[in-house]
Amino acid sequence: MHLRAATIVAFTVALVTASATAPALAQDPSPAAYSPEALTAAEYERAERFLGQFVRPLVRGGAVSANWIGDGDTFWYRSELDGGYYVVRPDDGARELAFDAAAMARALEVAGAGSFGEDDLPLSTIDLAAGEARFEVDGSMFACFLEVFGCQPREALRGRVEAPRFSVVSPDGNWAAYQQDWDLWVRDLRTGEDVRLTEGGTEELGWGTNNAGWTRSPRPVVKWSDDSRKLATFRHDSRGIGVFHMLRTREGRPELESWKYPFPEDSVIFRLERTVIDVPTREIVMLDMPVDQHRSTVCDHVWCGGEFADVDWRNGSEELVFVSSSRDHKVATVRAADPETGAVRDVHEEVEETFFESGDGYVNWSALDDAEEFIWYSAKSNWGHLYLHDLNTGEEIRPITQGDWVVLQVRRVDEESRTIWFTGAGREPGDPYFEYFYKVDIDSGEITLLTPDSANHVVELSPDGTSFTDRSSTPLVPPTTVVRSADDGRVLVEVETADAGALEDSDWKAPIPFTTKARDGVTDLHGLMYTPSNLDPTRKYPVVNYLYPGPQSGSVGSRNFSAARRDHQALAELGFIVVEVDAMGTPGRSKSFHETYYGNMGDNGLPDQVTTIRQLAERHSFIDIDRVGIWGHSGGGFASTAGILRYPDFYRVAVSQAGNHDNRVYEDDWGEKWQGLLVEYEDGTTSYDNQANHLLAGNLQGKLLLAHGAVDANVPVQNTYLVVQALIEADKDFDLIILPDAGHGFANTPYMMRRRWNYFVEHLLGAEPPADFRFGQQRPSM
């Protein structure tokens, strides 16, 4: 039996109805606790079969990766359903096989390109006008006719000029900007000539330095002008900032690594001396303005999403428009600069009591070329929306979007038609986290919904902006991909519907969506619950609360379909109810929802986690409210320790990984944006005391496992050491894992996952974990 859309929709409705009513699966008013004496290796192996590497392959056709051909709306992709290579032409509604893969593999071998299977052809591009598919093999290109299956070598690629590693290539493809010895250089990709643009760069005053403390990269922070003539960049001033040290474990003496890393308590942070460089003339123009703080309006760095954030060129390289953000993120100032003289004028300023963002992870403001206007993003109405402003006066001309919903990401602005395409959430009925695609008329504010199905939509616009791929799914419904018109949303081509038959035929169990009330008793919260596939409704199961508190993201994450979200279902198979909910203080909703615990990061959304689990226990008698555990990584590690220390009568067991337990010893941008600037009071306390886990060590009553990577360059291991020292001083028993050679991303490594499973099995389920189990000893099958 295969999953069909109608069947899944009905299944979804049944689950949602069950989760919203009481007591759903409950039969026995007083079920006995599920608490086996021991779990066997076979039971662990069964749970292992629910991990992503085993269940994701059971869904085929779940992703369509569009490879656009030229600047139009035609693309090719390789199907996961049958392995074929298809060309999709929205103009005539066609989806056709591009070529016979087996015949093409034979043609490549005959041409001397090597031996390839049907599923691993090194396809580079398809040229429909020439009737060719082009394959890159070991630095050489082979052109193969699409119909007669003959191949011949084309131009050799070995002799072409390569862009330096970690460089930023100009829009016309002729130049690559890179950093060497703290100075900026460009390579002419036509001739191979390297040109030095700056002189005298140092570690403390580097040109375009890509260092935010918590993350670093050799790639320079620059923004090419649209005409590929000028670079917007800065001189990175790190003078006066303390050095962070990290020891790598080696035989003999440990290896010391040191770099500049500012903390919230520092008197100065990284500063930016904004600059424009004319590449052909090598002229450097320093902008006539005070230094900017190392801040952006969307992330904890000025290099966000692969580009220099908050910088926009107008009319080629005629004018540079940018946003300066204050150190505390409360003030955002739009400025315009003359790149020839360096003259800067202030255009617009927005001031927030808490924090300003120009989007939910995306820069949504931009300056128009053809009009003296700019599009601005603001949550001043309590909802994130777009506004049209005068670029000369800064005055608001009119709202572009409005209402009790949020604009998420501006995807395209067409000045000729005065139209903006964007994703948004909360405007349509149903799950407020479902993302939809819209277009809006800049002048009238008329909005057109382009993705009408009630689902989460992942869209990609064609290069010419006339169509887009739409992959729609829900946490319960596998994806369907179509091509839609960017004008009215009508379906132009039905591309692919995922085949999840093998997943349904296995023991896989879908998560259960639920809605609860937040701490205020009014606001709806949304989450997912995972139950054992062999759930016995006459028993009571302990709860494991997974959380990521935000404030920049939530616990659940995307509402796309996923056969395995982290290891939640696998953990549930051991005999747990796993609960995740997006608490107040996370994004994607209103501004007031997002800023719920501004200035008190120790809150971590925990009041909403606790009340959610209590409400679910009232609905479902199989939930054991007396056995609740909690775990998380990074911000979730911070929150899970806070949970067992702040709610010791509720949480019995916590697994805390890589937590930023005191944001005074974490990167400056994070704490100062969400907690505010550090203030020291006369009595010796500070404004950061209410979030510091180590100050609550004496509250520990349950079982706590702390884990951290010793070479974590993101969240320094000192965060966990502070908690450890405080627990020792409070004479508390706890467990600790230090991974000597691990950085920040060890959350679901086999060793850590096994230790986490064992900890919950032993201390929350009350069973003996198997001593002889190890992940990956044999490949499980569902």
Side-chain angles (χ1 to χ4, degrees):
M1 182 174 64
H2 294 277
L3 289 173
R4 299 293 181 227
T7 302
I8 302 171
V9 170
F11 182 48
T12 304
V13 172
L15 280 177
V16 172
T17 303
S19 65
T21 58
L25 302 178
Q27 301 292 331
D28 187 341
S30 56
Y34 175 70
S35 183
E37 291 186 4
L39 293 187
T40 66
E43 288 174 299
Y44 265 52
E45 289 169 4
R46 182 180 182 278
E48 183 183 12
R49 292 182 357 225
F50 289 82
L51 295 177
Q53 63 263 40
F54 304 119
V55 296
R56 290 193 182 104
L58 302 180
V59 181
R60 295 166 48 241
V64 172
S65 179
N67 300 277
W68 302 99
I69 300 174
D71 297 326
D73 63 350
T74 300
F75 66 90
W76 65 267
Y77 79 99
R78 181 175 179 272
S79 172
E80 292 182 352
L81 292 176
D82 59 19
Y85 294 82
Y86 288 86
V87 170
V88 177
R89 297 194 302 273
D91 278 349
D92 55 14
R95 171 189 176 269
E96 300 171 337
L97 272 173
F99 50 78
D100 183 305
M104 192 64 77
R106 290 192 297 270
L108 282 167
E109 186 172 9
V110 169
S115 179
F116 297 96
E118 297 178 34
D119 58 351
D120 64 350
L121 296 176
L123 181 60
S124 175
T125 187
I126 294 177
D127 186 339
L128 292 177
E132 294 180 346
R134 294 171 186 162
F135 300 85
E136 184 174 342
V137 182
D138 295 332
S140 295
M141 187 71 75
F142 288 80
C144 305
F145 296 109
L146 293 175
E147 296 183 358
V148 298
F149 301 111
C151 302
Q152 55 187 342
R154 285 292 195 229
E155 72 278 9
L157 301 180
R158 293 185 185 277
R160 69 182 179 183
V161 176
E162 297 285 350
R165 192 182 181 195
F166 304 118
S167 62
V168 182
V169 178
S170 61
D172 63 9
N174 291 335
W175 301 92
Y178 64 99
Q179 190 181 68
Q180 181 174 303
D181 298 329
W182 310 106
D183 278 309
L184 287 175
W185 295 64
V186 291
R187 177 172 296 173
D188 190 327
L189 299 181
R190 296 159 296 185
T191 67
E193 179 187 7
D194 290 301
V195 179
R196 186 171 190 159
L197 298 178
T198 66
E199 300 277 354
T202 67
E203 182 176 4
E204 290 199 325
L205 281 172
W207 293 93
T209 303
N210 198 330
N211 181 15
W214 67 277
T215 184
R216 298 167 292 153
S217 171
R219 192 182 308 276
V221 181
V222 297
K223 180 70 173 285
W224 283 98
S225 60
D226 298 333
D227 59 10
S228 300
R229 180 180 178 86
K230 296 181 184 292
L231 285 171
T233 186
F234 51 78
R235 192 160 59 173
H236 198 248
D237 189 348
S238 63
R239 291 174 296 182
I241 293 174
V243 176
F244 176 76
H245 303 287
M246 187 172 69
L247 286 175
R248 293 187 178 274
T249 302
R250 297 289 184 269
E251 291 183 2
R253 293 180 176 85
E255 178 184 326
L256 177 66
E257 187 175 351
S258 304
W259 69 94
K260 298 277 189 172
Y261 190 135
F263 289 155
E265 61 188 5
D266 292 346
S267 59
V268 295
I269 60 172
F270 292 132
R271 286 89 67 200
L272 314 179
E273 299 178 70
R274 293 189 183 267
T275 307
V276 171
I277 302 176
D278 188 289
V279 173
T281 67
R282 308 183 197 179
E283 181 183 3
I284 299 174
V285 177
M286 306 296 292
L287 299 193
D288 186 12
M289 57 175 289
V291 296
D292 263 341
Q293 305 298 306
H294 188 283
R295 293 288 183 262
S296 77
T297 65
V298 290
C299 76
D300 310 325
H301 196 1
V302 293
W303 182 259
C304 304
E307 67 175 7
F308 187 7
D310 294 319
V311 175
D312 194 22
W313 286 99
R314 295 186 67 230
N315 296 313
S317 57
E318 182 180 298
E319 187 174 43
L320 181 68
V321 182
F322 59 95
V323 175
S324 298
S325 294
S326 61
R327 177 170 174 171
D328 60 6
H329 286 276
K330 296 179 187 293
V331 182
T333 305
V334 181
R335 292 183 164 125
D338 183 333
E340 299 296 329
T341 67
V344 177
R345 61 186 177 88
D346 288 357
V347 175
H348 173 69
E349 181 178 90
E350 180 150 343
V351 181
E352 280 278 2
E353 292 184 6
T354 52
F355 52 85
F356 173 81
E357 292 182 308
S358 70
D360 184 9
Y362 308 99
V363 173
N364 284 326
W365 70 268
S366 63
L368 302 183
D369 285 338
D370 300 332
E372 293 296 312
E373 298 167 338
F374 68 97
I375 296 163
W376 187 238
Y377 180 93
S378 173
K380 62 184 180 181
S381 70
N382 194 37
W383 300 89
H385 282 295
L386 303 176
Y387 298 82
L388 186 65
H389 282 250
D390 188 296
L391 188 56
N392 293 312
T393 66
E395 295 296 321
E396 179 187 321
I397 299 173
R398 68 178 66 87
I400 300 173
T401 62
Q402 51 192 322
D404 293 351
W405 54 279
V406 293
V407 171
L408 295 177
Q409 183 185 14
V410 171
R411 303 295 290 274
R412 180 172 182 249
V413 178
D414 183 66
E415 296 190 42
E416 183 177 350
S417 65
R418 303 277 288 180
T419 305
I420 301 173
W421 284 262
F422 66 92
T423 57
R427 186 174 183 266
E428 313 307 320
D431 191 323
Y433 292 96
F434 281 174
E435 297 185 16
Y436 295 85
F437 196 46
Y438 303 90
K439 73 171 187 177
V440 61
D441 185 283
I442 292 176
D443 299 311
S444 70
E446 180 180 355
I447 294 177
T448 302
L449 171 63
L450 301 174
T451 51
D453 301 329
S454 180
N456 197 68
H457 296 269
V458 178
V459 302
E460 183 181 352
L461 270 164
S462 63
D464 67 2
T466 61
S467 65
F468 63 94
T469 59
D470 171 20
R471 187 172 80 245
S472 61
S473 67
T474 76
L476 305 180
V477 181
T480 295
T481 301
V482 300
V483 178
R484 295 182 182 271
S485 164
D487 180 55
D488 56 17
R490 60 193 167 87
V491 175
L492 302 176
V493 184
E494 294 183 355
V495 180
E496 213 152 88
T497 297
D499 178 2
L503 185 68
E504 186 191 16
D505 292 341
S506 72
D507 294 331
W508 181 81
K509 187 175 185 179
I512 301 174
F514 64 79
T515 302
T516 56
K517 292 299 181 182
R519 66 187 76 182
D520 59 7
V522 176
T523 305
D524 283 340
L525 301 176
H526 300 264
L528 296 174
M529 180 171 66
Y530 305 78
T531 62
S533 59
N534 56 358
L535 177 80
D536 180 352
T538 68
R539 311 300 294 269
K540 294 171 73 74
Y541 295 82
V543 177
V544 174
N545 181 192
Y546 169 80
L547 81 165
Y548 189 86
Q552 93 295 7
S553 64
S555 301
V556 179
S558 167
R559 265 52 181 186
N560 292 331
F561 177 83
S562 175
R565 291 176 181 267
R566 302 178 179 89
D567 69 333
H568 297 334
Q569 186 59 41
L571 181 59
E573 292 301 313
L574 297 178
F576 300 102
I577 308 299
V578 180
V579 173
E580 58 179 355
V581 65
D582 287 332
M584 297 181 76
T586 57
R589 306 276 291 274
S590 67
K591 180 67 158 53
S592 57
F593 187 97
H594 192 189
E595 65 188 13
T596 295
Y597 59 79
Y598 173 81
N600 181 20
M601 291 178 69
D603 177 290
N604 276 304
L606 289 164
D608 298 320
Q609 303 288 337
V610 172
T611 189
T612 285
I613 294 170
R614 291 192 185 281
Q615 290 172 62
L616 292 175
E618 291 174 358
R619 300 174 188 175
H620 306 290
S621 62
F622 57 75
I623 289 179
D624 190 342
I625 196 64
D626 294 323
R627 292 187 292 168
V628 181
I630 185 171
W631 88 271
H633 187 90
S634 192
F638 170 40
S640 54
T641 296
I644 201 168
L645 297 180
R646 294 175 184 271
Y647 298 87
D649 295 328
F650 185 77
Y651 292 112
R652 308 298 183 184
V653 181
V655 176
S656 170
Q657 303 173 184
N660 49 312
H661 299 286
D662 183 352
N663 289 282
R664 281 174 287 200
V665 287
Y666 184 40
E667 60 110 349
D668 60 301
D669 195 294
W670 184 260
E672 293 182 352
K673 180 175 183 178
W674 310 115
Q675 184 73 15
L677 298 181
L678 189 143
V679 178
E680 296 183 355
Y681 304 119
E682 292 183 359
D683 62 359
T685 62
T686 77
S687 59
Y688 274 51
D689 290 356
N690 63 359
Q691 55 81 52
N693 279 340
H694 65 92
L695 299 182
L696 302 172
N699 293 347
L700 181 63
Q701 296 180 23
K703 301 293 296 185
L704 170 62
L705 171 60
L706 295 163
H708 216 115
V711 289
D712 190 336
N714 182 337
V715 179
V717 69
Q718 284 84 347
N719 279 270
T720 289
Y721 288 160
L722 281 173
V723 177
V724 167
Q725 183 61 35
L727 290 170
I728 291 171
E729 292 174 354
D731 199 19
K732 297 291 184 177
D733 293 333
F734 63 96
D735 294 285
L736 174 67
I737 298 174
I738 296 296
L739 296 92
D741 217 23
H744 193 61
F746 63 88
N748 282 342
T749 56
Y751 180 81
M752 190 65 238
M753 188 181 299
R754 180 175 62 84
R755 293 295 302 273
R756 184 170 65 241
W757 284 15
N758 288 352
Y759 208 75
F760 284 126
V761 165
E762 181 178 359
H763 299 295
L764 193 62
L765 188 60
E768 183 71 22
D772 55 346
F773 171 80
R774 295 295 184 273
F775 285 108
Q777 290 182 332
Q778 58 182 1
R779 183 176 179 84
S781 58
M782 293 292 284

